[in-house]
Amino acid sequence: MYARFNDIINALKGLGKVCTNHELVSKILRCLPKSWEPKVIAMEEAKDLSTLPLEDLLGSLMTHELRMSDQAKNEPKKKTIALKASKDEESDEDKDEMALLTKRIRIILLDKK
């Protein structure tokens, strides 16, 4: 991500647009995914973003990323259960009985209201 970000910033500098360090830090924090929101909030509250060097921000984000990947590896895997669908088709007789039953239940419910 940093390499791509750096390419964009250098291209902007070549076009005459110079961004302050605060703008660069803010742009990186804004583009992080939702799962990083707790880290972003903690950094905004704990540090003065206008004086935070870009390298310190990247180091902190990389450390956080390593911690997140370690936690993901250490979590036990969840077991899932899949149900197998059968391909038995209902006969027309079964469908008619189901429709009749549904109709009777509807009539009973309407009578109770």
Side-chain angles (χ1 to χ4, degrees):
M1 183 235 3
Y2 179 65
R4 177 83 173 119
F5 184 74
N6 222 8
D7 289 344
I8 293 170
I9 296 306
N10 288 335
L12 286 173
K13 283 181 184 175
L15 295 172
K17 168 71 172 149
V18 179
C19 297
T20 65
N21 189 57
H22 177 65
E23 289 175 322
L24 298 177
V25 169
S26 297
K27 287 179 188 296
I28 287 180
L29 291 177
R30 262 196 325 246
C31 77
L32 292 172
K34 191 105 173 137
S35 61
W36 288 67
E37 190 170 347
K39 179 65 176 175
V40 171
I41 292 171
M43 291 189 75
E44 288 174 345
E45 291 178 356
K47 299 182 180 185
D48 183 15
L49 298 183
S50 61
T51 60
L52 178 67
L54 191 57
E55 292 77 20
D56 289 353
L57 171 70
L58 293 171
S60 179
L61 293 177
M62 289 171 67
T63 303
H64 182 67
E65 183 179 25
L66 289 173
R67 285 185 186 154
M68 285 177 37
S69 66
D70 285 344
Q71 285 177 354
K73 288 178 185 176
N74 293 335
E75 287 181 5
K77 294 183 179 180
K78 296 179 182 178
K79 293 183 179 181
T80 58
I81 299 174
L83 301 176
K84 187 175 182 178
S86 65
K87 294 184 179 183
D88 296 339
E89 292 193 22
E90 296 180 10
S91 66
D92 288 337
E93 207 172 280
D94 290 339
K95 290 179 185 177
D96 291 340
E97 287 178 16
M98 186 62 81
L100 182 60
L101 181 62
T102 306
K103 186 176 180 180
R104 285 184 183 167
I105 291 173
R106 239 187 242 143
I107 290 171
I108 292 169
L109 290 175
L110 289 175
D111 287 343
K112 288 191 176 191
K113 287 184 181 180

